């Protein structure tokens, strides 16, 4: 049974099951770094929110370089 006071599970993983790390150890599927992927399970809601923002920034930057 899950703990209703456990705030770490309120944010779902951004994993899109397209796992492949680039030369910088960043997943091309979700945009998270390897360290962020490994830390995700135990991360606080605040940390997960920060990770999501960073991963979105990385994905947007990658998309721009692909279309340039």
């Amino acid at each position: 049974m899950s703990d209703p006071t456990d705030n770490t599970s309120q944010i779902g993983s951004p994993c899109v099951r397209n796992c492949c790390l680039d030369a910088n150890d960043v997943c091309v599927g979700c945009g998270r770094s390897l360290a962020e992927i490994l830390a995700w399970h135990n991360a606080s809601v605040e940390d997960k929110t920060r990770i999501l923002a960073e991963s979105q920034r990385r994905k947007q930057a990658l998309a721009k370089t692909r279309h340039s």
Side-chain angles (χ1 to χ4, degrees):
M1 188 181 328
S2 64
D3 179 357
T5 62
D6 179 12
N7 293 332
T8 61
S9 63
Q10 291 180 354
I11 299 176
S13 170
C15 182
V16 294
R17 306 293 190 257
N18 185 19
C19 306
C20 182
L21 297 177
D22 67 10
N24 297 313
D25 282 339
V26 173
C27 178
V28 298
C30 69
R32 292 180 294 168
S33 70
L34 180 57
E36 291 167 340
I37 292 167
L38 294 173
W40 184 263
H41 181 71
N42 294 317
S44 67
V45 171
E46 293 80 16
D47 286 341
K48 287 180 179 181
T49 300
R50 180 191 51 76
I51 290 169
L52 289 174
E54 284 295 312
S55 67
Q56 286 301 316
R57 182 193 57 75
R58 288 185 199 108
K59 286 173 43 177
Q60 289 172 353
L62 181 60
K64 285 180 183 178
T65 60
R66 286 183 181 163
H67 294 95
S68 310

